[in-house]
Amino acid sequence: MAEKAIITNWLFLTYFMLQILKVVCANVPAIIVFGDSSVDSGNNNQISTILKSNFEPYGRDFFGGNPTGRFSNGRIPTDFISQAFGLKPTVPAYLDPVYSIKDFATGVCFSLAGTGYDNATSDVLSVIPFWMELEYYKQYQNDLRNYLGVEQANGVISEALYLLSLGTNDFLENYYIIPDGRSSQFSIEQYQDFLVGIARDFVTELYYLGARKISLGGLPPMGCLPLERTTNIFFGSQCIEEYNTVALQFNGKLQALVESLNATLVGLRLVYSDPYEILYDMIQNPIFFGFVDANVACCGTGLFEMGYLCDQINPFTCSDANKYVFWDSFHPTEKTNAIIADHAVKNSLSQFLYW
């Protein structure tokens, strides 16, 4: 009898917790994503660019082993965040013709791999610029109102959680790479301020379009990405501390922007999400998180492969991506993405999980 009572109580508790979760998560009806390859769920598949990942071994640990265009062996952080809020386990790409407004009503991704705040960044790899993501979003709003009706659609728009994640490309694929480009026009501090100004304008326009719950993502420890460590081979392949310092400085400016906009735009709930510390901890203490290697990536030699250099016939690709912090030379594994997402939900995004 005692055992039966324990089982009954456990079942009741499980049911009760599920009901709580439904109530808690009901306040975020959709996840809407803007950014770069860190959160692109397949939009780049539909444009003419060399920056793609819709082929094996990308996606080998995704549902069905499908290479969806996500730059990972599986899911990306926004997929896990969507699931954590009681929504679907993946966020569909807006440009993917397989999906319709019915799919996008509870989550949609406008992110484009290779883009940045700066229009000049998108020109480097011939991708669609960041501002175009906002134009796609405006069309989405129209479609959503036609699908749900104006009142219900406006409710989704105001209660949805908006996630922004970009900026790394502006520095690593633009400022530090193009000799006669932005580095000849701006000091690094000036360039940071230039990008923060664009972020300010973007968030402000989202606000006036109806968004109220917005997460502004910071930069990772970009000097510790395998590709950057490879370029630092003559110095022992250590992290490039200059890049990490720039990331921390930029993140500080984003935090100040968050405070400023929250004080200026009535009703805005803007939060700063910090991927830097948790990812840096994984890189410095991989064993603690269950990894074996944080210096090189799983794909290929783990030093420089990304995109088409990371293909299924590369004999060096690892057999178990869960042992690695990074999947390719620029992007984390699914396991890393899950840890980053969990950290974000428990910290910066937790305020949106309310009764």
Side-chain angles (χ1 to χ4, degrees):
M1 292 294 293
E3 183 179 350
K4 183 177 181 180
I6 291 173
I7 294 174
T8 301
N9 289 337
W10 180 83
L11 289 173
F12 175 77
L13 180 61
T14 301
Y15 174 80
F16 180 69
M17 291 304 294
L18 286 173
Q19 298 311 304
I20 289 178
L21 187 60
K22 288 180 181 178
V23 174
V24 169
C25 297
N27 294 288
V28 174
I31 298 291
I32 299 176
V33 186
F34 300 93
D36 57 20
S37 61
S38 63
V39 288
D40 180 2
S41 58
N43 284 310
N44 265 37
N45 297 351
Q46 310 304 320
I47 66 175
S48 178
T49 176
I50 62 170
L51 193 57
K52 294 180 184 289
S53 59
N54 55 341
F55 47 84
E56 297 178 353
Y58 286 100
R60 73 181 192 190
D61 298 309
F62 192 78
F63 301 116
N66 296 319
T68 61
R70 289 168 170 81
F71 283 79
S72 179
N73 59 302
R75 289 192 285 171
I76 51 181
T78 44
D79 294 324
F80 290 106
I81 292 172
S82 175
Q83 185 171 18
F85 275 81
L87 301 170
K88 54 198 172 193
T90 60
V91 182
Y94 182 67
L95 298 182
D96 191 333
V98 170
Y99 301 107
S100 68
I101 189 61
K102 179 179 179 181
D103 303 294
F104 300 146
T106 55
V108 59
C109 170
F110 299 102
S111 303
L112 295 154
T115 199
Y117 288 108
D118 186 357
N119 285 341
T121 300
S122 61
D123 293 337
V124 175
L125 291 172
S126 299
V127 299
I128 297 174
F130 182 47
W131 63 265
M132 191 63 193
E133 295 184 22
L134 200 59
E135 295 304 309
Y136 289 142
Y137 172 66
K138 293 176 184 178
Q139 181 59 53
Y140 163 76
Q141 283 197 343
N142 292 333
D143 294 340
L144 191 67
R145 290 186 177 109
N146 289 332
Y147 176 65
L148 295 178
V150 174
E151 184 176 353
Q152 186 177 350
N154 287 346
V156 171
I157 289 167
S158 64
E159 293 296 330
L161 176 58
Y162 297 77
L163 305 174
L164 279 68
S165 175
L166 72 164
T168 303
N169 294 324
D170 290 307
F171 295 98
L172 299 187
E173 301 298 328
N174 183 355
Y175 189 87
Y176 286 115
I177 296 297
I178 310 300
D180 297 322
R182 294 307 195 190
S183 60
S184 65
Q185 302 168 15
F186 300 102
S187 68
I188 190 63
E189 292 80 9
Q190 291 171 333
Y191 191 58
Q192 290 172 338
D193 291 338
F194 172 68
L195 299 180
V196 169
I198 297 172
R200 173 186 291 274
D201 292 343
F202 192 92
V203 171
T204 300
E205 185 156 4
L206 269 183
Y207 171 83
Y208 285 115
L209 287 169
R212 291 297 180 269
K213 303 173 182 177
I214 307 174
S215 169
L216 185 59
L219 298 181
M222 56 189 187
C224 293
L225 302 179
L227 181 62
E228 306 311 317
R229 297 177 79 154
T230 299
T231 63
N232 204 30
I233 192 168
F234 294 111
F235 296 93
S237 297
Q238 298 300 308
C239 297
I240 301 178
E241 291 307 322
E242 176 188 353
Y243 293 175
N244 284 350
T245 298
V246 167
L248 287 171
Q249 291 171 343
F250 184 71
N251 289 348
K253 292 176 184 288
L254 288 181
Q255 288 175 281
L257 174 63
V258 168
E259 294 178 9
S260 173
L261 289 176
N262 278 329
T264 304
L265 301 176
V266 178
L268 176 65
R269 298 176 63 191
L270 177 63
V271 299
Y272 167 72
S273 291
D274 180 24
Y276 188 101
E277 294 301 332
I278 185 65
L279 183 53
Y280 190 75
D281 286 346
M282 282 186 267
I283 292 168
Q284 296 300 313
N285 305 288
I287 295 177
F288 177 81
F289 292 91
F291 297 106
V292 173
D293 202 325
N295 298 331
V296 299
C298 171
C299 184
T301 63
L303 301 175
F304 59 85
E305 291 89 350
M306 180 178 65
Y308 285 113
L309 294 178
C310 177
D311 59 39
Q312 61 180 326
I313 63 173
N314 195 312
F316 300 106
T317 298
C318 77
S319 59
D320 184 1
N322 286 333
K323 295 180 179 179
Y324 290 76
V325 173
F326 292 97
W327 166 249
D328 64 19
S329 64
F330 219 76
H331 304 96
T333 58
E334 179 181 58
K335 179 179 176 179
T336 303
N337 287 332
I339 295 172
I340 291 173
D342 181 69
H343 181 266
V345 170
K346 289 179 178 177
N347 293 275
S348 58
L349 304 181
S350 60
Q351 66 172 276
F352 301 119
L353 289 169
Y354 61 88
W355 299 89

